[in-house]
Amino acid sequence: VELTGSDTEDGVYVVKLGPAQKLQDELDGWNCCRPAGLRHDLVLMSVEPRRDPDDGSLIALVYTDAQQLIGVDETLSLESALLDSARLGVPTPESVADSLFQLYERLGLLLYRTSYVENPDDKNYVYSSERLDKHLPLNLSLWNAKSGPAFECRALTTTFTEMIPLRDQFRDPVSFLTFLGEAGDQHRDRVRALVPRILRGHSHGDLHGRNVLIGRVGDRVLWPAVFDFGDMGRDNLIARDFVKLETEFKIRAYPQIFTSATTMPILIPEIVTFERELAEWTELCRDTCQWPNQPRSNEPRDRFSWLILKIRQQAQTHLGIRKNRSRDWLAEYYFLLTVYALSSVRFNNLTPIEFLGAYLASGTACARYRYDRESAEDAPNR
């Protein structure tokens, strides 16, 4: 909202309207996680309540003046910057990567350092689908339906991924997570062996590119600003702040990057192969601790994969290196990529290619996920 003619209050604001309880939940999330004394920040847009003057009920939340916080006239969403950078090369990929660094460094300082590891080896551990994603049971029930878009998507994918060479590159994520959910107490040891150690604590909880505003100056972007704290909490999956940003970016970029794949039979192996190559590149960077400073070429596909790699580099920093978990973080990352991408089944606004892409992204991450806790330290690629 752009406010003019108000004298001292003029500016461009993010304003959220909605049911009072949802607004209150968001305000509570912000208040419970922000460090004591924090009023204004470089990245987190502070939020203030607006109440009905008659009965005092909560009617809106108003975030910081976005233009003043970011400091430039032109602002856009981080998702738009990522998509344009991958497809067109403008804004420059390097400036987008710098903005990702600024974003996660600040969130790491303010939120992620308050964390703990949920370890399936603990004697009181009980696997819970809802603890991974409150919507996961519903997601799985929709994917397991015997008709409809999800059924057709799985059937189509199976037709191609059961053939060599895709057979080892894709694993049905629905079957895998359904097994975990149904095994329960009867196969508790087996379930524990299949679930990674997971980092929990303070996080945004709903970090995707449309919840981050960013400034643009010429062909560069800078100074990200985060809003929408409805899922902020003290016991969140910290990796979700990385997994969600990556997944939401990827599924919207697939149709723009793989433009030559005009039919599903061509698109499926294209995306699966791309995801496999991305995983191999990620594992090489993880093992050598050397992450490339620029894309391999100026082609859209290389810019696209490099930008995803920069998100994963930040994940390694905040989930791995700074938590002394250099051998755990990537297994956790693949596992939660598998979980989150299945959320697409609930959203009717995705195109068929975006919907298929989300399922393929989940299945390729699931295929990459091989976790044997007893030998994880010695064989991190399993």
Side-chain angles (χ1 to χ4, degrees), residues 286-322:
R286 187 272 314 272
D287 293 339
T288 62
C289 295
Q290 295 180 358
W291 298 78
N293 294 323
Q294 59 187 22
R296 289 169 168 166
S297 77
N298 201 33
E299 294 298 317
R301 181 165 170 157
D302 285 335
R303 291 194 298 262
F304 177 40
S305 59
W306 184 77
L307 287 168
I308 299 171
L309 204 68
K310 302 310 283 185
I311 297 173
R312 295 184 176 186
Q313 182 179 1
Q314 293 303 315
Q316 181 187 48
T317 297
H318 296 281
L319 304 175
I321 294 173
R322 292 186 180 172

Side-chain angles (χ1 to χ4, degrees), residues 172-189:
D172 180 29
V174 179
S175 297
F176 173 64
L177 292 171
T178 299
F179 167 76
L180 290 181
E182 293 178 348
D185 293 336
Q186 295 181 356
H187 304 283
R188 182 173 295 184
D189 291 340

Side-chain angles (χ1 to χ4, degrees), residues 262-281:
T262 56
T263 64
M264 295 300 183
I266 298 176
L267 185 66
I268 290 173
E270 279 280 327
I271 292 179
V272 172
T273 300
F274 171 82
E275 290 285 349
R276 174 184 58 79
E277 293 172 351
L278 178 64
E280 291 173 349
W281 198 9

Side-chain angles (χ1 to χ4, degrees), residues 67 70-76 214-218 220-222:
Q67 281 190 346
I70 295 173
V72 297
D73 290 335
E74 185 180 356
T75 61
L76 68 161
I214 198 165
R216 178 169 178 171
V217 179
R220 298 186 62 213
V221 289
L222 65 173

Side-chain angles (χ1 to χ4, degrees), residues 101-117:
F101 172 79
Q102 295 165 14
L103 169 67
Y104 285 115
E105 275 298 304
R106 194 61 182 165
L107 293 180
L109 177 65
L110 297 179
L111 298 177
Y112 304 152
R113 64 180 179 177
T114 305
S115 62
Y116 71 96
V117 174

Side-chain angles (χ1 to χ4, degrees), residues 192-208:
R192 286 178 173 179
L194 291 173
V195 179
R197 301 181 185 98
I198 292 178
L199 192 66
R200 288 185 173 273
H202 292 198
S203 80
H204 183 275
D206 191 25
L207 193 69
H208 54 74

